[in-house]
Amino acid sequence: MSVYDDVTRKIVEAIEKGAATGNGWKMQWHSMSSRPENVMTGKAYQGVNTLHLWIEAQARCFSGAKWGTFKHWSEVGAKVRKGERGSLVVFLKPIMKAAEGEEQDDKKFILRTSVVFNAEQVEGYNPPLEFVQPVERLDEVDMFVQAVPGLQVRHGGDRAFYHTTRDYIQMPERGDFFSMHGYYSTLLHECAHWTGHESRLNREFGKRFGDQAYALEELVAELSAAFSASQRATASTSVI
């Protein structure tokens, strides 16, 4: 089985295990509050690596967001415990084909993998203490939404949706949600739908519930909301 197949299989399995709750459909990564980060550089993993490590952490009951290779953990003074099973991450490695002295018109890349371990799989790691201020409102998300040109969010009623023809987002009042996390994840989900309007990214929304385009649009919105929520406090670059 290729790395593509393995990662795709795990993502599909995670989606299929999504549970219908009183607060809507819940994917496994909804409970992951922060983005996976490399322990040595402090930079966040990107793309499919983010989703894959969220799923790995949820499936194996890891609460920590720090990951690293054997070498990374060694360089911060820790050691991976004997017998621990790592998780795959992927990256693109450039292939140099031009002969010496010749110009290379375009770069070519090959997919490579690396194995990383969570902080709960190592010994000797003493993370710096961080103070997290509890908040009911996520000001950075509110400011982000307010700063997007043309984005219109209305409150009221008992449904959350993006109106595709009138081009606005409808949200219930904040107090109608079981938690502020539920409110903001729903808001970011609908904001992702908003980006698909024909005047923006021009995505096909689907004609009815359950058809392929509808399902793909829901997946786009779901993953966008998860990535946006985890990214709300920090900017990051690609890392292994």
Side-chain angles (χ1 to χ4, degrees):
M1 178 181 293
S2 71
V3 64
Y4 293 104
D5 294 334
D6 185 48
V7 172
T8 300
R9 175 184 58 80
K10 289 182 179 179
I11 294 173
V12 171
E13 288 177 354
I15 293 173
E16 290 175 343
K17 291 178 181 178
T21 68
N23 196 23
W25 193 262
K26 185 175 182 180
M27 293 293 106
Q28 291 190 36
W29 48 82
H30 281 177
S31 62
M32 309 311 294
S33 59
S34 57
R35 193 160 187 166
E37 294 181 351
N38 180 273
V39 67
M40 190 176 71
T41 65
K43 295 180 179 179
Y45 290 89
Q46 295 287 300
V48 71
N49 289 329
T50 301
L51 190 57
H52 188 224
L53 292 181
W54 269 338
I55 293 170
E56 286 282 285
Q58 178 71 14
R60 298 163 70 180
C61 300
F62 296 150
S63 59
K66 299 292 187 182
W67 298 78
T69 63
F70 277 109
K71 182 180 179 181
H72 293 157
W73 284 114
S74 176
E75 292 187 8
V76 298
K79 181 180 180 181
V80 176
R81 287 193 294 269
K82 186 176 180 180
E84 290 287 350
R85 176 173 61 85
S87 302
L88 282 179
V89 290
V90 297
F91 62 100
L92 294 175
K93 183 178 180 180
I95 303 174
M96 304 300 292
K97 285 194 171 182
E100 186 175 352
E102 295 181 359
E103 293 186 2
Q104 184 157 337
D105 296 331
D106 58 338
K107 285 187 176 181
K108 297 184 181 296
F109 297 87
I110 187 171
L111 186 71
R112 288 286 185 251
T113 63
S114 184
V115 177
V116 295
F117 298 85
N118 187 269
E120 296 185 24
Q121 297 178 279
V122 307
E123 298 173 340
Y125 176 54
N126 297 305
L129 295 177
E130 296 182 2
F131 175 74
V132 179
Q133 177 67 41
V135 294
E136 281 301 310
R137 295 176 67 112
L138 299 179
D139 292 336
E140 61 271 29
V141 179
D142 287 330
M143 289 188 292
F144 166 73
V145 171
Q146 293 166 10
V148 176
L151 178 58
Q152 184 181 170
V153 180
R154 304 177 183 179
H155 288 82
D158 59 0
R159 294 176 57 222
F161 59 88
Y162 166 60
H163 201 300
T164 56
T165 55
R166 298 183 180 178
D167 195 27
Y168 70 84
I169 292 170
Q170 184 70 45
M171 290 285 294
E173 299 293 343
R174 295 171 189 261
D176 292 339
F177 287 82
F178 290 106
S179 67
M180 282 296 98
H181 178 274
Y183 170 82
Y184 284 109
S185 63
T186 302
L187 175 59
L188 290 171
H189 179 104
E190 301 305 332
C191 285
H193 283 314
W194 178 86
T195 67
H197 187 268
E198 61 181 9
S199 65
R200 299 177 195 102
L201 298 181
N202 194 25
R203 289 196 304 272
E204 183 181 353
F205 287 95
K207 303 299 182 183
R208 64 185 183 279
F209 179 83
D211 71 20
Q212 187 171 1
Y214 186 102
L216 181 59
E217 175 62 25
E218 286 302 307
L219 182 59
V220 168
E222 175 63 29
L223 296 181
S224 177
F227 276 62
S228 298
S230 70
Q231 190 76 2
R232 66 180 186 265
T234 58
S236 57
T237 55
S238 182
V239 67
I240 285 301

